[in-house]
Amino acid sequence: MKNYLRLASLLFIFSMNACTDDASNTLPTDTCFKKDPIAELPWLKTVVTQFQQPKSGPLKVVLYVYKSEYYIAVNNPLVSSPGSYIFNCKGESIGKLNISYNQFTADALTEKVLLEGTY
């Protein structure tokens, strides 16, 4: 009887691990770019160009996967609201999409750094 309870307990524990939501950040199958989002998305090129002006400071553009969709963050330490510069493929900020900045940063996976430099 003890062995049966131990086995049942182990099976229960392993089944709970199998129920985790690892699929929440799987790579998107539908994408808005082929190779280089900065070159291929006019709205993103405009945003990045704004931060490439002289004396703008450090700039980092990062491609993230969040809930099976691509998001692109334009990071500059002078920005007071970093959530305003995290966009989906259509150029909509996470604030407009009612996605919490804290939730995004907790769950998003970094896919690739697209650009990094100081201007």
Side-chain angles (χ1 to χ4, degrees):
M1 184 70 172
K2 277 186 173 180
N3 286 339
Y4 176 74
L5 288 175
R6 286 182 189 157
L7 180 61
S9 296
L10 286 173
L11 288 174
F12 177 75
I13 290 169
F14 288 127
S15 70
M16 292 301 291
N17 286 339
C19 293
T20 59
D21 189 16
D22 290 336
S24 65
N25 282 318
T26 57
L27 288 178
T29 54
D30 187 25
T31 181
C32 57
F33 59 90
K34 292 181 179 157
K35 201 172 189 180
D36 182 7
I38 297 172
E40 296 173 33
L41 301 172
W43 64 265
L44 180 59
K45 185 164 183 71
T46 301
V47 172
V48 170
T49 301
Q50 292 171 354
F51 287 102
Q52 290 179 315
Q53 303 302 315
K55 300 183 181 182
S56 294
L59 175 65
K60 189 174 186 181
V61 181
V62 182
L63 180 65
Y64 289 100
V65 176
Y66 176 74
K67 294 191 177 182
S68 299
E69 289 184 39
Y70 282 122
Y71 286 82
I72 302 162
V74 180
N75 300 316
N76 179 290
L78 300 176
V79 173
S80 62
S81 178
S84 299
Y85 290 94
I86 302 173
F87 306 96
N88 67 4
C89 276
K90 296 175 186 171
E92 301 167 315
S93 72
I94 61 170
K96 184 177 179 184
L97 299 168
N98 293 321
I99 299 171
S100 159
Y101 176 76
N102 293 336
Q103 188 67 44
F104 180 87
T105 55
D107 295 340
L109 298 176
T110 302
E111 180 64 23
K112 181 179 179 182
V113 174
L114 302 172
L115 175 73
E116 191 167 17
T118 301
Y119 299 91

